[in-house]
Each structure stands twice: as C-alpha cells, then as structure tokens.
C-alpha cells in the first residue's frame, strides 16, 4: 500500500518524500484503523486523507467547517486531476442538487461536506447509496468544549457517525490540541482504538518574536515598509482597532484591506479575494478572518495585541509560512492588553466554567509574552511535546541584552505576595509594594505588612509588570477564575532563602527583523512570477493555485528545459506539467544565456528578440510592443515565439492594451457568434470567476476569448 502511496505522492503532487508523520498516518488509515492525527498548520494534513481516499474504493467524505478552504481544496484537487466536489451553503440550489446527484453516482473520490449539511437523513441517504470507505474530519478540535473553537454541529455529527450501519474508518485531524482536547476528540467521536499521531508542533520556518515597550504605530509602519512585496496579516483584538490600524497604514501610503465581523458579507468576501489574489498585500483583521484562509505565501503575521489564548495565537500566527518558506510572527505586547482580553471574556457568552477556562488560558498567553525561554519551545511544551531544542531564531533566542541582577527586587515581591496569603490579586500586591493609600488596601490593613512601600521608588505599573514577570517565570502562580489570586510556587523558596539569584533581560526595544531570504529574487524568478500572475488572471484563480513561490524558485534555480526535468521539481506532478510545462520551459529558455536580463529589460523593448523597428532606448512598454506585432497580423503564438514569451504572457499583454483603451482587432480572435455566446454566458453567470463561464461554453472557446470579451466590453470590476 505504502509503495502505491509514494507513487501517488510523486505522480499527483510532484513530491518525492513524505513529511514527518504522513507515511505512518496514511498506512494506518489505509489499513483500516481509526486515527487521530495532530499535525501543525502547514504540516500537510490534507495529503494524509487525500491519498488514502485515492487508494480506497468508493467516495471519501471530508468534513470541514471552512467553506473557502473546501473550495480551495477541491479546486486544487481538480487541477491535480482528482475528481472532487463540495457541498455547502455557498452553492446555489441547482448546483447543489447536481453535485449531490453526481456524488450519489459515485463520481467523486472525495466529497467535502460542511458539518451543518450532515443531518441524520443526509447521512442515511449517503451511507445507503454510496460506498464510503473513510470519513476524514478536519479541524476536529471543534468537537471539544475544551478547545478554543467549539462548534455544536460537530457534536451532532459525532452522534450521526455512531449510528451509521456500516461505519467507515474515521480519521480526525487537527493542528491544535492539548492532551485534554485530544482525549475529548477520541471520546466524542467515539474513535475505535485509534492510532494517535502527534508530529512535531514546532514550525522551523517561523521566527517568533514578542516586541514590547515600543511605539506600536511606528514599529508597524517600519515593519510593513520593509516588507512591501510580501503578503501579511495584522490581527487586532477588536473591530475598532482593525479600522484604526487599517487607516493608519493607508495614511502611510500602504495599501491594506480590512476584515471583521462588522462588515457586510460581500465586503468581506471581496477583501478576502483581493488578498488571495495578491491584489492587496496587507490584511488587517480580527480573528473573524482566517478560519478558511489557506493562502500559502503569507510571509508575516503580526498581532497588534495580545490574543486570548495560546492555541488561537499559534493558529493565527501559523497562517504565516504554510508553504514552508521563512516567515515572521510578531506579537506586540503591552501589559494593559490583558485588560482588553479580560473584558472580552467577561462580556462573552460562555457560562462561568467556560469563562474560568478562558481566563486561565489568558494568563498562560501572558506568560508567553513575558517569557525569556525560547518561544517555540514554550509553545510546543504547552501542547505536550518535550525535548525540543531551542529554535535559535525567536526574539528570546536572539536576545543579546545583558541580564540585570534583580534578586533583591524579587525577594521583596515574593515576600510581599507570600504575606498576602493568596487572598489578593496582582494589582493589590503591586499597590502594597508601592505603598498606595488605596481605600480597600487600608480597609484590609495591608499597610501594616512589613513589605508595604518596599518598592515605592518605582511606578505602580512597573511593579505590577514585575510581578507578572515573576508569574511568567514560574515563581508565582495565578489562581483560576474571574478574579485570579496570586500566590507563591515552590520555586520561590530558594530565592527567598538566598540560594538562587534572579536575572532579567531588559529587552532591546525593537527586534532587528530577521530579513529572511525567501524574498531573494532573480531575473528568471521574476519572469516566472510575471508569467504566473498573467496565467492566474486568465484562469481567474489566485497565483498560488498555479504554483507556490517555492516551486517557482526551484524552477529558477534548476532551469528545466524539458518536461522530464520539470517533473523532477518539487511541487510539479503530471497534471501541472501537462498544463503549464511548455509555458514554463519557454519562460526559462527566454531567459537562458542572458544572466543579466530582467523582465523590465524586456519590458522596455530592449530584448534581443524585440523587432528592429524599435530603436534602442525606445520606451515602448512590453505589452504595447506585443499589440503592435498583433496589429501587424501576427498571432499571439507567433508573437510569443518571436519574443521568447509564453503565449499566456502575450495574451495578457493584449488584454491589458484593451483595458487601457488601445485599439485591438478582437474579431481576429473572437468570431461574432462566439462573442454572442460568451456574452450570454456572462449574463447568466456573472464575471466573478472565469471557470464557470468556460464550463458553460463549447470547449473550443478559449479563456483568452472570454477574457477578451470582458475587456472589450469594459466589464471588469473596479
Ligand atoms: P495543513 O492542512 O496541515 O495546514 P496542508 O495539507 O495544506 O497543511 O499542506 C501544507 C502545504 O504543504 C501544502 O502546500 C502541501 O502541498 C505541502 N505538502 C504536504 N505534504 C508535502 C510533502 N510530503 N512534501 C512537500 N510538500 C508537502
């Protein structure tokens, strides 16, 4: 079985080796075991159920709560030549019926279904009419109350599953589960003697950092300006902040989109699409954004504020670098942010048990923000993984600041908290150390403690900060519940007895960002990106759907000149090689032997293949040059050959000229009867996506013709 799996990995996906855990998970599932697999975001969960689905007879059901993710996955599978479809609320009634009918005929190897769609009758009819060998449940932590994203529809699903007459293999997947949540998933889904796989939670391509004590606005502007060519997400805790941060960026001349619960569905969908298509690079969002965004080339995730818990943080931060390239995750932290999160929890809908769980999670999050330990280690430790070496690139590992001896301050703080006997919170302890005349403090007689006023030389806020730092370092703890009390842990004793010294690093204000090398570029890489942009625009899909940056970079390094050479590149399987091989090879060969040439050199009309009619120094833009050749009677494929471009690139040029209002002889490309058909299809379907239009039309009508009609009639949005 595993040999076949390896062949599929190469033939379909173009990958040579399985990632950690994948092979074992695939073997277990294919051999019929229920499975719980916990893999970090970007770890490659999808392949773990897609390959068994291809190996097992029948149709595998994939349960996923994320509508846009389903769509992306199904689109990707189809591009790879695998039959797949989804059923969710985004489909029109007719489309839904059609897919269901096809599904019942067993046409799909994978059928993605939203949990809300899977009520008892639906389950019954699917399981009666279909052979379902496997049910894969994505984001399985949603079934657990202990998780951070509990969903009742997952609970119902668990009930239906257990009542199925021929219950298939069940495989549950998640990226975030503490041991507690993992146990809950097994119990709730009634997994039968499941194989459990927990692969490393560490994400070696992420550089984590916590930045505190900076002017956030300035930091943000500088941070983003350094990365103008990169996609990034900025998470804020509230809608209001999302609005403010977005305007801040826009005022600085940076193009940013916003996404939060206060915007209409269509506004959100539009911004999300723009971000996916790389039309805007920066997305400022609340946590409403993300469940469902599977954009692989997000190069940074910056948290404007402390999030509510470490699971959410790691999940959100983990949206950076899904493609495995170096990426930055930055948390901007101010102690006061705690209050905002606390307020959000208190105002929330959960019952008091739930709130108490949330508050303890918040405290842990705060410990993360203050810890001097390796940040990656801190996180994986939380998820129950030990013995992970220091990452060597987080802000703690890179912190070179001199440690200051603060043993005396620690002794004062610890002895004060010890004397308060675990009956008060951090703020009250800070007031006592500060020597405050607070009314409640006096009522409790805390001014009579010997530690009263010991730290009066410091501002109260700094004293509180210091106490929180001691909590983060494990010398004190906070109780659970809405009003957490602070008390000593056993670690405090050696300090109080003078056997242990305490040093604190005072963090340098702004971390020098790592300046990763994934932004490195070459003329060929740029040319490939340009080709991909145009091909994506012709097909109406985001660029990453065609190829990831990493794949383009590998092409640029390997310079393949045959389909066989191309197939040896990671990320290129047979379907993509068939479809894009010729184009890529022509882009590569157009750059061959011209190490210094760049796309812009070609764009300026100075390419060696530019017609002689244009003198050196003529600044005719590249697309205009193609148009001129077209209007002189050449076909796009002839122009492509002549200029050493792909045909898609030349077609993109002609469309651009049309958009810019230049005269283009479209009748040479689109006969009038085709134009009518295309217009008819557009009227029926709209122009949001080209693929449905193409599917509606006779197969001889090309994407170029469809795009041409849209441009010619000025129907483009915006
Ligand atoms: P997850 O769902 O775990 O977040 P995905 O299934 O989306 O992750 O996979 C993340 C990325 O890793 C995808 O682009 C996928 O194609 C890629 N990937 C998965 N398995 C491998 C592999 N064995 N070799 C190389 N890339 C892989």
């Amino acid at each position: 079985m595993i040999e076949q799996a390896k062949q599929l990995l190469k033939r379909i996906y173009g990958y040579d080796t399985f990632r950690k855990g994948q092979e074992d998970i695939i073997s277990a599932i294919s051999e019929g075991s229920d499975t719980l697999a916990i893999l970090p975001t970007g770890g490659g969960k999808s392949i773990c159920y897609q390959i068994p689905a291809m190996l097992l007879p029948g149709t595998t059901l994939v349960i996923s709560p994320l509508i846009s993710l389903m769509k992306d996955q199904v689109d990707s599978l189809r591009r790879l030549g695998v039959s797949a479809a989804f059923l969710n609320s985004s489909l029109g009634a007719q489309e839904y019926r059609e897919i269901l009918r096809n599904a019942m005929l067993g046409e799909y190897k994978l059928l993605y279904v939203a949990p809300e769609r899977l009520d008892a009758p639906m389950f019954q009819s699917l399981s009666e009419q279909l052979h379902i060998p496997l049910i894969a449940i994505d984001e399985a932590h949603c079934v657990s109350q202990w998780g951070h994203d509990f969903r009742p529809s997952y609970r119902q699903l668990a009930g239906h599953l257990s009542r199925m007459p021929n219950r298939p293999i069940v495989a549950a997947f998640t990226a975030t589960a503490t041991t507690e949540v993992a146990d809950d998933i097994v119990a709730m889904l009634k997994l039968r003697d499941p194989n459990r796989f927990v692969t490393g939670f560490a994400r070696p391509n992420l550089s984590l950092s916590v930045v505190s004590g900076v002017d956030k606005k300035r930091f943000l502007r500088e941070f983003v300006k350094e990365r103008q060519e990169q996609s990034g997400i900025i998470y804020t805790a509230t809608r209001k902040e999302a609005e403010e941060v977005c305007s801040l960026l826009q005022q600085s001349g940076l193009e940013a989109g916003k996404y939060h619960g206060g915007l209409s569905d269509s506004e959100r969908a539009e911004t999300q699409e723009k971000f996916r298509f790389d039309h805007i690079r920066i997305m400022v969002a609340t946590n409403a954004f993300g469940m469902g965004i599977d954009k692989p080339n997000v190069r940074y995730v910056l948290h404007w504020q402390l999030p509510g818990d470490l699971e959410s943080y790691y999940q959100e931060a983990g949206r950076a670098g899904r493609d495995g390239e170096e990426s930055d995750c930055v948390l901007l932290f101010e102690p006061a942010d705690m209050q905002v999160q606390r307020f959000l929890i208190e105002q929330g809908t959960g019952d008091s048990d739930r709130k108490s769980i949330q508050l303890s999670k918040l405290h842990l999050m705060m410990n993360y923000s203050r810890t001097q330990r390796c940040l990656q280690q801190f996180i994986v430790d939380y998820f129950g993984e030990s013995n992970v070496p220091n990452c060597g690139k987080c802000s703690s590992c890179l912190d070179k600041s001199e440690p200051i001896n603060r043993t005396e301050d620690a002794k004062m703080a610890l002895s004060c908290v010890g004397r308060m006997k675990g009956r008060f919170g951090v703020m009250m302890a800070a007031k006592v150390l500060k020597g405050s005349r607070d009314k409640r403090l006096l009522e409790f007689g805390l001014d009579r403690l010997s530690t009263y006023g010991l730290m009066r030389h410091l501002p109260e806020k700094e004293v509180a900060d210091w106490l929180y730092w001691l909590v983060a370092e494990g010398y004190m703890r906070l109780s659970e519940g809405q009003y957490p009390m602070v008390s000593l842990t056993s670690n405090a004793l050696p300090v109080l007895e003078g056997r242990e010294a305490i040093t604190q690093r005072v963090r340098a204000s702004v971390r020098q960002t790592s300046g990763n090398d994934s932004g490195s570029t070459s003329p060929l890489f740029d040319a490939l990106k340009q080709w991909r942009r145009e091909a994506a625009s012709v097909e109406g899909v985001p660029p990453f759907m065609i190829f990831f940056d990493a794949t383009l970079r590998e092409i640029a390094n390997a310079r393949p000149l045959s389909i066989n050479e191309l197939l040896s590149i990671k990320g290129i399987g047979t379907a993509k090689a068939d479809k894009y091989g010729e184009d890529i090879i022509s882009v590569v060969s157009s750059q061959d032997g011209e190490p210094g040439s760049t796309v812009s050199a070609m764009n300026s009309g100075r390419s060696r293949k530019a017609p002689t009619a244009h003198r050196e120094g003529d600044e005719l833009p590249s697309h205009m040059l193609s148009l001129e050749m077209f209007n002189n009677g050449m076909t796009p494929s002839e122009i492509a050959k002549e200029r050493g471009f792909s045909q898609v690139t030349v077609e993109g040029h002609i469309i651009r000229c049309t958009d810019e209002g230049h005269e283009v002889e479209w009748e040479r490309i689109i006969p009038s009867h085709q134009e009518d058909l295309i217009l008819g299809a557009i009227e029926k379907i709209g122009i949001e996506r080209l693929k449905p239009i193409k599917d509606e039309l006779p197969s001889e009508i090309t994407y170029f013709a469809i795009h041409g009609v849209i441009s010619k009639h000025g129907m483009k949005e915006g």
Side-chain angles (χ1 to χ4, degrees), residues 9 15 17-19 22 39-47 73 294 322 548 570:
L9 183 73
Y15 298 138
T17 47
F18 281 113
R19 289 214 184 124
Q22 284 179 328
L39 271 80
T41 309
K45 284 184 281 299
S46 331
I47 282 181
Q73 293 242 346
D294 188 18
R322 292 179 77 108
F548 287 169
K570 193 167 142 190

Side-chain angles (χ1 to χ4, degrees), residues 31-46:
E31 283 160 16
S33 298
D34 276 4
T35 296
L36 169 63
I38 306 173
L39 271 80
T41 309
K45 284 184 281 299
S46 331

Side-chain angles (χ1 to χ4, degrees), residues 432-668:
V432 174
L433 283 161
K434 174 70 192 171
S436 151
R437 303 303 297 164
D438 179 85
K439 192 158 150 266
R440 278 183 64 239
L441 185 156
L442 299 176
E443 274 167 23
F444 285 115
L446 294 171
D447 56 331
R448 292 197 297 274
L449 292 177
S450 58
T451 50
Y452 180 76
L454 277 183
M455 299 184 92
R456 61 165 48 94
H457 56 289
L458 294 177
E460 192 175 306
K461 182 174 164 297
E462 232 169 85
V463 179
D465 262 11
W466 173 234
L467 294 172
Y468 278 126
W469 187 88
L470 289 166
V471 173
E473 295 302 304
Y475 298 100
M476 313 198 290
R477 77 164 74 81
L478 295 172
S479 65
E480 291 191 356
Q482 212 161 343
Y483 301 103
M485 308 299 172
V486 60
S487 58
L488 301 183
T489 68
S490 57
N491 295 339
L493 208 59
V495 182
L496 287 168
E497 290 173 350
R499 289 185 284 121
E500 185 183 324
I502 302 259
T503 55
Q504 184 190 28
R505 283 181 197 279
V506 179
R507 236 177 232 149
S509 54
V510 178
R511 185 179 80 98
Q512 275 296 312
T513 48
S514 58
N516 58 56
D517 63 10
S518 54
S520 70
T521 179
S522 71
L524 178 52
F525 180 58
D526 288 344
L528 288 163
K529 276 187 17 191
Q530 170 71 11
W531 162 79
R532 179 182 62 179
R533 217 175 356 257
E534 288 166 3
S537 131
V538 170
E539 289 184 40
V541 296
F544 67 76
M545 277 275 179
I546 300 207
F547 287 117
F548 287 169
D549 284 359
T551 310
L552 294 190
R553 188 163 294 117
E554 220 178 305
I555 298 174
N557 288 336
R559 298 183 159 261
L561 289 169
S562 69
I563 296 286
N564 262 346
E565 281 172 32
L566 197 64
L567 278 169
S568 68
I569 282 175
K570 193 167 142 190
I572 305 190
T574 42
K576 289 208 171 171
D578 281 351
K579 187 158 182 198
Y580 303 115
E582 301 271 315
D583 270 3
I584 295 172
I585 290 166
S586 89
V587 177
V588 173
S589 47
S590 76
Q591 295 270 317
D592 220 22
E594 278 189 39
S597 70
T598 62
V599 176
S600 56
M602 287 194 225
N603 283 347
S604 68
R606 277 181 238 129
S607 145
R608 67 186 156 152
K609 286 173 178 160
T612 45
H614 290 279
R615 282 168 287 122
E616 283 270 320
D618 265 3
E619 288 300 313
L620 190 63
S622 183
H623 62 294
M624 292 293 296
L625 192 56
S626 292
L627 176 66
E628 202 169 291
M629 294 163 86
F630 178 73
N631 285 347
N632 281 334
M634 291 170 81
T635 65
S637 90
E638 287 164 351
I639 302 169
K641 230 186 194 149
E642 174 74 28
R643 299 197 61 196
F645 286 163
S646 69
Q647 183 169 335
V648 177
T649 302
V650 173
E651 291 175 355
H653 287 168
I654 294 174
I655 286 162
R656 181 164 163 203
C657 290
T658 313
D659 291 342
E660 289 176 3
H662 302 288
E663 194 58 37
V664 176
E665 296 169 19
W666 275 110
E667 47 294 350
R668 281 180 37 216

